[in-house]
PDB file of all heavy atoms in Angstrom:
ATOM      1  N   SER Y1444     -19.697 -40.951  44.470  1.00  0.00           N
ATOM      2  CA  SER Y1444     -19.057 -39.651  44.669  1.00  0.00           C
ATOM      3  C   SER Y1444     -18.027 -39.587  45.752  1.00  0.00           C
ATOM      4  O   SER Y1444     -17.236 -38.642  45.766  1.00  0.00           O
ATOM      5  CB  SER Y1444     -20.139 -38.607  44.951  1.00  0.00           C
ATOM      6  OG  SER Y1444     -21.176 -38.643  44.073  1.00  0.00           O
ATOM      7  N   CYS Y1445     -18.012 -40.510  46.676  1.00  0.00           N
ATOM      8  CA  CYS Y1445     -17.147 -40.353  47.884  1.00  0.00           C
ATOM      9  C   CYS Y1445     -16.200 -41.540  48.073  1.00  0.00           C
ATOM     10  O   CYS Y1445     -15.099 -41.361  48.524  1.00  0.00           O
ATOM     11  CB  CYS Y1445     -18.010 -40.222  49.122  1.00  0.00           C
ATOM     12  SG  CYS Y1445     -19.392 -39.076  49.034  1.00  0.00           S
ATOM     13  N   CYS Y1448     -12.271 -41.993  47.339  1.00  0.00           N
ATOM     14  CA  CYS Y1448     -11.226 -41.359  48.234  1.00  0.00           C
ATOM     15  C   CYS Y1448     -11.454 -41.637  49.690  1.00  0.00           C
ATOM     16  O   CYS Y1448     -10.585 -41.399  50.471  1.00  0.00           O
ATOM     17  CB  CYS Y1448     -11.203 -39.836  48.042  1.00  0.00           C
ATOM     18  SG  CYS Y1448     -10.865 -39.370  46.324  1.00  0.00           S
ATOM     19  N   HIS Y1449     -12.640 -42.018  50.076  1.00  0.00           N
ATOM     20  CA  HIS Y1449     -12.976 -42.158  51.481  1.00  0.00           C
ATOM     21  C   HIS Y1449     -13.370 -43.586  51.891  1.00  0.00           C
ATOM     22  O   HIS Y1449     -14.289 -43.816  52.685  1.00  0.00           O
ATOM     23  CB  HIS Y1449     -14.062 -41.207  51.915  1.00  0.00           C
ATOM     24  CG  HIS Y1449     -13.710 -39.807  51.892  1.00  0.00           C
ATOM     25  ND1 HIS Y1449     -12.840 -39.200  52.776  1.00  0.00           N
ATOM     26  CD2 HIS Y1449     -14.097 -38.802  51.019  1.00  0.00           C
ATOM     27  CE1 HIS Y1449     -12.680 -37.928  52.487  1.00  0.00           C
ATOM     28  NE2 HIS Y1449     -13.423 -37.626  51.457  1.00  0.00           N
ATOM     29  N   HIS Y1471      -4.314 -38.115  47.154  1.00  0.00           N
ATOM     30  CA  HIS Y1471      -5.676 -37.680  47.472  1.00  0.00           C
ATOM     31  C   HIS Y1471      -6.378 -38.781  48.302  1.00  0.00           C
ATOM     32  O   HIS Y1471      -7.074 -38.444  49.225  1.00  0.00           O
ATOM     33  CB  HIS Y1471      -6.450 -37.459  46.175  1.00  0.00           C
ATOM     34  CG  HIS Y1471      -6.334 -36.100  45.661  1.00  0.00           C
ATOM     35  ND1 HIS Y1471      -5.208 -35.654  45.067  1.00  0.00           N
ATOM     36  CD2 HIS Y1471      -7.206 -35.105  45.651  1.00  0.00           C
ATOM     37  CE1 HIS Y1471      -5.410 -34.398  44.721  1.00  0.00           C
ATOM     38  NE2 HIS Y1471      -6.614 -34.033  45.045  1.00  0.00           N
ATOM     39  N   ALA Y1474      -4.935 -38.831  51.898  1.00  0.00           N
ATOM     40  CA  ALA Y1474      -5.422 -37.682  52.656  1.00  0.00           C
ATOM     41  C   ALA Y1474      -6.972 -37.775  52.937  1.00  0.00           C
ATOM     42  O   ALA Y1474      -7.381 -37.507  54.029  1.00  0.00           O
ATOM     43  CB  ALA Y1474      -5.120 -36.387  51.858  1.00  0.00           C
ATOM     44  N   GLY Y1475      -7.700 -38.222  51.951  1.00  0.00           N
ATOM     45  CA  GLY Y1475      -9.159 -38.357  52.132  1.00  0.00           C
ATOM     46  C   GLY Y1475      -9.483 -39.404  53.191  1.00  0.00           C
ATOM     47  O   GLY Y1475     -10.279 -39.165  54.023  1.00  0.00           O
ATOM     48  N   GLU Y1478      -8.912 -38.345  56.862  1.00  0.00           N
ATOM     49  CA  GLU Y1478     -10.013 -37.524  57.380  1.00  0.00           C
ATOM     50  C   GLU Y1478     -11.247 -38.323  57.682  1.00  0.00           C
ATOM     51  O   GLU Y1478     -11.933 -38.084  58.682  1.00  0.00           O
ATOM     52  CB  GLU Y1478     -10.348 -36.405  56.369  1.00  0.00           C
ATOM     53  CG  GLU Y1478      -9.314 -35.375  56.197  1.00  0.00           C
ATOM     54  CD  GLU Y1478      -9.228 -34.391  57.313  1.00  0.00           C
ATOM     55  OE1 GLU Y1478     -10.232 -34.275  58.080  1.00  0.00           O
ATOM     56  OE2 GLU Y1478      -8.226 -33.703  57.462  1.00  0.00           O
ATOM     57  N   SER Y1498     -19.356 -32.579  59.589  1.00  0.00           N
ATOM     58  CA  SER Y1498     -18.422 -32.234  58.520  1.00  0.00           C
ATOM     59  C   SER Y1498     -18.932 -32.680  57.155  1.00  0.00           C
ATOM     60  O   SER Y1498     -18.853 -31.907  56.192  1.00  0.00           O
ATOM     61  CB  SER Y1498     -17.099 -32.843  58.914  1.00  0.00           C
ATOM     62  OG  SER Y1498     -16.111 -32.588  58.036  1.00  0.00           O
ATOM     63  N   ILE Y1499     -19.469 -33.894  57.055  1.00  0.00           N
ATOM     64  CA  ILE Y1499     -20.011 -34.362  55.806  1.00  0.00           C
ATOM     65  C   ILE Y1499     -21.161 -33.473  55.331  1.00  0.00           C
ATOM     66  O   ILE Y1499     -21.166 -33.057  54.169  1.00  0.00           O
ATOM     67  CB  ILE Y1499     -20.587 -35.800  55.985  1.00  0.00           C
ATOM     68  CG1 ILE Y1499     -19.421 -36.822  56.181  1.00  0.00           C
ATOM     69  CG2 ILE Y1499     -21.421 -36.232  54.765  1.00  0.00           C
ATOM     70  CD1 ILE Y1499     -19.888 -38.206  56.686  1.00  0.00           C
ATOM     71  N   GLN Y1502     -19.662 -30.070  54.194  1.00  0.00           N
ATOM     72  CA  GLN Y1502     -18.876 -30.169  52.948  1.00  0.00           C
ATOM     73  C   GLN Y1502     -19.767 -30.306  51.719  1.00  0.00           C
ATOM     74  O   GLN Y1502     -19.504 -29.713  50.654  1.00  0.00           O
ATOM     75  CB  GLN Y1502     -17.956 -31.388  53.048  1.00  0.00           C
ATOM     76  CG  GLN Y1502     -16.895 -31.285  54.072  1.00  0.00           C
ATOM     77  CD  GLN Y1502     -15.709 -30.449  53.666  1.00  0.00           C
ATOM     78  OE1 GLN Y1502     -15.259 -30.448  52.548  1.00  0.00           O
ATOM     79  NE2 GLN Y1502     -15.192 -29.656  54.599  1.00  0.00           N
ATOM     80  N   MET Y1508     -17.201 -30.936  48.630  1.00  0.00           N
ATOM     81  CA  MET Y1508     -16.979 -32.320  48.326  1.00  0.00           C
ATOM     82  C   MET Y1508     -18.129 -32.804  47.376  1.00  0.00           C
ATOM     83  O   MET Y1508     -19.231 -32.401  47.616  1.00  0.00           O
ATOM     84  CB  MET Y1508     -16.998 -33.203  49.552  1.00  0.00           C
ATOM     85  CG  MET Y1508     -15.737 -33.058  50.463  1.00  0.00           C
ATOM     86  SD  MET Y1508     -14.346 -33.832  49.678  1.00  0.00           S
ATOM     87  CE  MET Y1508     -12.986 -32.899  50.389  1.00  0.00           C
ATOM     88  N   PRO Y1509     -17.914 -33.696  46.436  1.00  0.00           N
ATOM     89  CA  PRO Y1509     -16.591 -34.159  46.008  1.00  0.00           C
ATOM     90  C   PRO Y1509     -15.696 -33.084  45.430  1.00  0.00           C
ATOM     91  O   PRO Y1509     -16.225 -32.086  44.917  1.00  0.00           O
ATOM     92  CB  PRO Y1509     -16.940 -35.193  44.950  1.00  0.00           C
ATOM     93  CG  PRO Y1509     -18.336 -34.887  44.545  1.00  0.00           C
ATOM     94  CD  PRO Y1509     -18.994 -34.236  45.638  1.00  0.00           C
ATOM     95  N   LEU Y1510     -14.389 -33.253  45.503  1.00  0.00           N
ATOM     96  CA  LEU Y1510     -13.416 -32.258  45.036  1.00  0.00           C
ATOM     97  C   LEU Y1510     -13.636 -31.937  43.587  1.00  0.00           C
ATOM     98  O   LEU Y1510     -13.964 -32.815  42.787  1.00  0.00           O
ATOM     99  CB  LEU Y1510     -12.025 -32.775  45.221  1.00  0.00           C
ATOM    100  CG  LEU Y1510     -11.482 -32.993  46.668  1.00  0.00           C
ATOM    101  CD1 LEU Y1510     -10.035 -33.548  46.599  1.00  0.00           C
ATOM    102  CD2 LEU Y1510     -11.470 -31.649  47.423  1.00  0.00           C
ATOM    103  N   TYR Y1513     -11.924 -33.923  41.003  1.00  0.00           N
ATOM    104  CA  TYR Y1513     -12.534 -35.232  40.791  1.00  0.00           C
ATOM    105  C   TYR Y1513     -13.711 -35.118  39.848  1.00  0.00           C
ATOM    106  O   TYR Y1513     -13.831 -35.874  38.881  1.00  0.00           O
ATOM    107  CB  TYR Y1513     -12.910 -35.817  42.169  1.00  0.00           C
ATOM    108  CG  TYR Y1513     -13.559 -37.225  42.086  1.00  0.00           C
ATOM    109  CD1 TYR Y1513     -12.718 -38.307  41.973  1.00  0.00           C
ATOM    110  CD2 TYR Y1513     -14.915 -37.420  42.217  1.00  0.00           C
ATOM    111  CE1 TYR Y1513     -13.244 -39.598  41.932  1.00  0.00           C
ATOM    112  CE2 TYR Y1513     -15.442 -38.695  42.231  1.00  0.00           C
ATOM    113  CZ  TYR Y1513     -14.602 -39.780  42.087  1.00  0.00           C
ATOM    114  OH  TYR Y1513     -15.136 -41.025  42.069  1.00  0.00           O
ATOM    115  N   PHE Y1522     -23.640 -33.760  42.381  1.00  0.00           N
ATOM    116  CA  PHE Y1522     -24.960 -33.926  42.967  1.00  0.00           C
ATOM    117  C   PHE Y1522     -25.973 -33.084  42.245  1.00  0.00           C
ATOM    118  O   PHE Y1522     -25.742 -31.910  42.027  1.00  0.00           O
ATOM    119  CB  PHE Y1522     -24.952 -33.425  44.449  1.00  0.00           C
ATOM    120  CG  PHE Y1522     -24.406 -34.426  45.399  1.00  0.00           C
ATOM    121  CD1 PHE Y1522     -23.009 -34.603  45.521  1.00  0.00           C
ATOM    122  CD2 PHE Y1522     -25.206 -35.159  46.246  1.00  0.00           C
ATOM    123  CE1 PHE Y1522     -22.503 -35.537  46.385  1.00  0.00           C
ATOM    124  CE2 PHE Y1522     -24.691 -36.066  47.126  1.00  0.00           C
ATOM    125  CZ  PHE Y1522     -23.353 -36.252  47.217  1.00  0.00           C
TER     126      PHE Y1522
HETATM  127  C1  HEC V1928     -10.920 -37.042  44.813  1.00  0.00           C
HETATM  128  C2  HEC V1928     -10.953 -37.537  46.183  1.00  0.00           C
HETATM  129  C3  HEC V1928     -12.144 -37.152  47.065  1.00  0.00           C
HETATM  130  C4  HEC V1928     -13.492 -37.371  46.821  1.00  0.00           C
HETATM  131  C5  HEC V1928     -14.147 -37.988  45.579  1.00  0.00           C
HETATM  132  C6  HEC V1928     -14.200 -36.943  47.982  1.00  0.00           C
HETATM  133  N1  HEC V1928     -13.312 -36.464  48.924  1.00  0.00           N
HETATM  134 FE1  HEC V1928     -13.689 -35.764  50.771  1.00  0.00          FE
HETATM  135  N2  HEC V1928     -11.736 -35.324  51.091  1.00  0.00           N
HETATM  136  C7  HEC V1928     -10.676 -35.561  50.209  1.00  0.00           C
HETATM  137  C8  HEC V1928      -9.465 -35.092  50.744  1.00  0.00           C
HETATM  138  C9  HEC V1928      -8.100 -35.157  50.012  1.00  0.00           C
HETATM  139  C10 HEC V1928      -9.768 -34.548  51.991  1.00  0.00           C
HETATM  140  C11 HEC V1928      -8.798 -33.937  52.989  1.00  0.00           C
HETATM  141  C12 HEC V1928      -8.241 -32.619  52.599  1.00  0.00           C
HETATM  142  C13 HEC V1928      -9.254 -31.574  52.366  1.00  0.00           C
HETATM  143  O1  HEC V1928     -10.062 -31.256  53.278  1.00  0.00           O
HETATM  144  O2  HEC V1928      -9.284 -31.035  51.256  1.00  0.00           O
HETATM  145  C14 HEC V1928     -11.176 -34.738  52.212  1.00  0.00           C
HETATM  146  C15 HEC V1928     -11.858 -34.349  53.327  1.00  0.00           C
HETATM  147  C16 HEC V1928     -13.179 -34.608  53.557  1.00  0.00           C
HETATM  148  C17 HEC V1928     -13.878 -34.358  54.817  1.00  0.00           C
HETATM  149  C18 HEC V1928     -13.246 -33.807  56.046  1.00  0.00           C
HETATM  150  C19 HEC V1928     -13.260 -32.287  55.971  1.00  0.00           C
HETATM  151  C20 HEC V1928     -12.916 -31.684  57.322  1.00  0.00           C
HETATM  152  O3  HEC V1928     -12.239 -30.669  57.244  1.00  0.00           O
HETATM  153  O4  HEC V1928     -13.344 -32.238  58.326  1.00  0.00           O
HETATM  154  C21 HEC V1928     -15.169 -34.777  54.647  1.00  0.00           C
HETATM  155  C22 HEC V1928     -16.300 -34.684  55.705  1.00  0.00           C
HETATM  156  C23 HEC V1928     -15.325 -35.221  53.267  1.00  0.00           C
HETATM  157  N3  HEC V1928     -14.130 -35.176  52.700  1.00  0.00           N
HETATM  158  C24 HEC V1928     -16.493 -35.765  52.795  1.00  0.00           C
HETATM  159  C25 HEC V1928     -16.615 -36.177  51.472  1.00  0.00           C
HETATM  160  C26 HEC V1928     -17.878 -36.630  50.943  1.00  0.00           C
HETATM  161  C27 HEC V1928     -19.229 -36.749  51.708  1.00  0.00           C
HETATM  162  C28 HEC V1928     -17.661 -36.975  49.650  1.00  0.00           C
HETATM  163  C29 HEC V1928     -18.668 -37.429  48.596  1.00  0.00           C
HETATM  164  C30 HEC V1928     -19.794 -36.608  48.416  1.00  0.00           C
HETATM  165  C31 HEC V1928     -16.249 -36.731  49.378  1.00  0.00           C
HETATM  166  N4  HEC V1928     -15.685 -36.284  50.537  1.00  0.00           N
HETATM  167  C32 HEC V1928     -15.582 -36.999  48.159  1.00  0.00           C
HETATM  168  C33 HEC V1928     -10.865 -36.207  48.976  1.00  0.00           C
HETATM  169  C34 HEC V1928     -12.048 -36.563  48.359  1.00  0.00           C
END
Side-chain angles (χ1 to χ4, degrees):
S1444 311
C1445 316
C1448 302
H1449 292 290
H1471 272 72
E1478 291 283 341
S1498 180
I1499 290 168
Q1502 295 280 321
M1508 286 288 152
L1510 293 178
Y1513 183 77
F1522 280 77

